[in-house]
């Protein structure tokens, strides 16, 4: 078994940024005592040369006291990594094995650890960049999507004042209701954003329970019927004898509410919306079909990207977050989502889950 290897990471000025457990054990230091120290001083490299000289990996053996007057020989390899044009130093440490200098084996191990460290750091940098991009897009969205409901709330508030003086109760209630609806819009946007944030933090874990799918969908269809446009009808049908599925109720509910409210929003008055389910050995399918405006072929490839909205919906309110959340919720439950759509003909969104 190869000897345990520790890793120290230092910034471009040589100050230690992180030290793992193995390093602390090898050097008989506590991590908090190592952080901020000069790496050059620790491994006996001339601080004036510092990192400037470390263009190719440096190998050396350093002796550290390890208690009771004993010394321990530690093999040290120092390399410079460039990550997004930021310079960091990665120092690998291993106790020298008695009998052989083990140098070749150690360096081979160092190379693979370095590659691994580089991959991991690149991954977290990429993640950070993606979060940064999301935040930029959120600010663009907030300034655009928040402005309309906020000015509508302001207008209704001003009108309420006027109608209140005239004692026109009907108009006062009409505008109070408008305010309530606009506040719901704003809450919806904020909830989507919180969902996204929680998912990025990995804090959503599905809690599976047995669900009577037809019962669940029938109730949801009735609930959503309140939100339809005049003449729109949500029809529900179940197509198999098997009724039960094991899924997370809250996540499933959120998926279906998102898909149904899109079907409502992107269809005209009097249009039918079909919700259909089927449970078989091979899996559970949930399908939502509308006869709405459809999705232009050129936009179909990006539909599940956060904040993406197709070119034919700019006049309709939305954040472009719903489908991204549905896809990620479905995947959290080992499921998937797919769709087919044609402009002015309609869209079919299908969720598929394995039956457990
Ligand atoms: P939002 O509806 O808030 O814009 P979504 O993430 O739910 O965001 O949907 C992303 C985009 O996908 C929408 O902006 C719209 O262009 C398109 N879309 C989603 N569902 C439908 C549908 N049923 N019919 C037509 N277009 C749809």
């Amino acid at each position: 078994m190869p000897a345990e290897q520790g890793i120290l990471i230092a910034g471009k000025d040589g100050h230690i940024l992180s030290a793992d457990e193995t390093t602390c054990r090898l050097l008989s230091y506590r991590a908090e005592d190592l952080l901020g120290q000069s790496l050059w001083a620790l491994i006996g490299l001339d601080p004036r040369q510092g990192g400037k000289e470390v263009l190719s990996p440096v190998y050396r053996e350093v002796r550290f006291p390890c208690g009771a007057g004993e010394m321990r020989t530690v093999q040290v390899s120092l390399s410079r990594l460039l990550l997004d044009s930021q310079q960091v130093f990665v120092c690998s440490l291993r106790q020298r094995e008695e009998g052989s200098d083990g140098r070749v084996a150690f360096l081979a191990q160092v190379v693979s650890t370095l590659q691994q460290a580089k991959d991991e750091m690149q991954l977290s940098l990429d993640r950070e960049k993606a979060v940064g991009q999301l935040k930029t897009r959120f600010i663009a969205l907030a300034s655009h999507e928040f402005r309309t409901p906020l000015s509508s709330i302001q207008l209704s508030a001003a009108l309420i004042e006027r109608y209140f003086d005239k004692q026109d109760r009907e108009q006062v209630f009409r505008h109070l209701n408008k305010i309530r609806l606009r506040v719901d819009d704003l809450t919806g946007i904020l909830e989507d954003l919180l969902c996204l944030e929680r998912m990025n933090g990995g804090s959503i874990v599905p809690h599976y329970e047995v669900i009577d799918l037809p019962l669940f969908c029938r109730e949801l269809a009735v609930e959503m019927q309140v939100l339809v446009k005049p003449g729109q009808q949500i029809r529900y049908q179940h197509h198999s004898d098997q009724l039960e599925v094991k899924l997370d109720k809250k996540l499933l509910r959120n998926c279906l509410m998102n898909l149904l409210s899109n079907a409502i929003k992107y269809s005209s008055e009097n249009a039918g919306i079909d919700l259909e389910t089927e449970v078989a050995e091979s899996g559970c399918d949930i399908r939502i079909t509308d006869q709405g405006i459809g999705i232009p072929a050129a936009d179909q490839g990006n539909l599940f990207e956060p904040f993406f909205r197709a070119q034919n919906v700019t006049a309709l309110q939305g954040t472009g977050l719903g489908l991204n959340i549905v896809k990620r919720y479905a995947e959290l439950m080992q499921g998937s989502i797919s769709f087919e759509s044609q402009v002015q003909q309609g869209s079919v969104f299908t969720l598929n889950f394995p039956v457990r």
Side-chain angles (χ1 to χ4, degrees):
M1 209 176 77
E4 266 193 308
Q5 190 178 313
I7 296 277
L8 273 172
I9 295 176
K12 68 173 189 303
D13 56 0
H15 286 115
I16 296 173
L17 301 173
S18 86
D20 66 358
E21 253 182 69
T22 311
T23 302
C24 296
R25 221 177 313 121
L26 271 176
L27 307 186
S28 307
Y29 267 98
R30 293 181 314 166
E32 53 267 38
D33 296 332
L34 280 172
L35 299 186
Q37 265 204 46
S38 159
L39 178 60
W40 318 139
L42 186 77
I43 62 172
L45 209 69
D46 185 342
R48 277 167 310 172
Q49 289 176 351
K52 288 188 215 91
E53 298 301 309
V54 192
L55 295 174
S56 53
V58 164
Y59 173 83
R60 56 176 49 211
E61 293 189 353
V62 187
R63 287 169 63 75
F64 288 93
C66 60
E70 304 267 319
M71 296 297 276
R72 174 184 289 151
T73 305
V74 176
Q75 297 171 310
V76 173
S77 159
L78 181 66
S79 308
R80 192 173 72 133
L81 282 187
L82 270 181
L83 277 169
D84 271 19
S85 59
Q86 294 273 12
Q87 184 171 263
V88 290
F89 292 95
V90 180
C91 181
S92 309
L93 307 100
R94 187 175 86 158
Q95 182 166 4
R96 197 182 75 185
E97 283 158 13
E98 290 310 322
S100 78
D101 75 359
R103 178 179 169 156
V104 173
F106 175 55
L107 286 177
Q109 201 184 337
V110 165
V111 169
S112 90
T113 311
L114 275 178
Q115 190 54 47
Q116 208 180 324
K118 185 170 178 179
D119 291 349
E120 279 167 16
M121 286 167 94
Q122 190 62 53
L123 201 71
S124 66
L125 265 177
D126 289 348
R127 236 180 258 142
E128 230 170 82
K129 261 198 215 159
V131 170
Q133 276 171 1
L134 277 184
K135 287 193 173 141
T136 314
R137 281 152 95 181
F138 167 61
I139 290 165
L141 168 100
S143 56
H144 178 249
E145 288 297 324
F146 280 30
R147 196 169 289 154
T148 322
L150 284 175
S151 31
S152 154
I153 288 172
Q154 205 168 26
L155 178 68
S156 288
L159 288 172
I160 285 173
E161 228 170 28
R162 188 183 308 163
Y163 290 125
F164 191 76
D165 286 343
K166 290 188 193 161
Q167 304 208 336
D168 186 342
R169 274 173 64 90
E170 198 181 313
Q171 288 296 346
V172 168
F173 279 111
R174 197 167 80 86
H175 284 283
L176 277 177
N177 201 37
K178 269 195 175 176
I179 290 181
R180 223 168 273 135
L181 289 175
R182 296 292 82 81
V183 169
D184 282 352
D185 287 346
L186 290 172
T187 313
I189 296 174
L190 284 177
E191 267 167 15
D192 280 357
L193 283 160
L194 284 177
C195 254
L196 207 68
E197 191 77 7
R198 257 184 279 144
M199 264 189 294
N200 285 338
S203 66
I204 299 184
V205 180
H207 296 289
Y208 292 101
E209 58 185 301
V210 175
I211 302 173
D212 179 326
L213 194 59
L215 180 68
F216 179 83
C217 288
R218 221 171 285 123
E219 284 177 1
L220 191 71
V222 171
E223 218 179 293
M224 295 297 288
Q225 185 66 36
V226 180
L227 304 175
V228 298
K229 293 179 187 162
Q232 283 184 340
Q233 179 75 33
I234 302 177
R235 300 174 292 233
Y236 173 62
Q237 251 191 310
H238 182 72
H239 295 291
S240 58
D241 295 334
Q242 202 173 327
L243 309 178
E244 288 183 344
V245 285
K246 218 170 163 195
L247 290 169
D248 182 308
K249 235 180 193 169
K250 266 198 204 154
L251 298 186
L252 180 64
R253 187 180 154 80
N254 191 302
C255 289
L256 298 189
M257 282 176 71
N258 256 305
L259 294 175
L260 283 171
S261 55
N262 278 350
I264 295 169
K265 180 164 58 170
Y266 299 119
S267 302
S268 54
E269 294 183 0
N270 302 313
I273 293 161
D274 289 293
L275 170 61
E276 292 166 278
T277 50
E278 190 170 354
V279 186
E281 288 304 309
S282 55
C284 154
D285 275 336
I286 305 177
R287 209 166 32 249
I288 288 145
T289 308
D290 66 58
Q291 284 111 39
I293 60 172
I295 300 150
D299 292 326
Q300 294 193 3
N302 296 313
L303 216 62
F304 295 105
E305 295 295 317
F307 299 104
F308 181 82
R309 306 198 71 218
Q311 49 190 291
N312 59 340
V313 300
T314 40
L316 296 160
Q317 208 242 333
T319 60
L321 286 176
L323 284 184
N324 179 262
I325 291 171
V326 173
K327 180 171 189 284
R328 292 166 72 169
Y329 276 1
E331 284 168 358
L332 274 177
M333 296 184 280
Q334 265 83 53
S336 61
I337 179 166
S338 57
F339 70 95
E340 282 175 35
S341 181
Q342 254 188 309
V343 172
Q344 298 305 344
Q345 302 288 308
S347 311
V348 185
F349 282 84
T350 308
L351 286 166
N352 177 271
F353 298 101
V355 170
R356 60 190 78 235

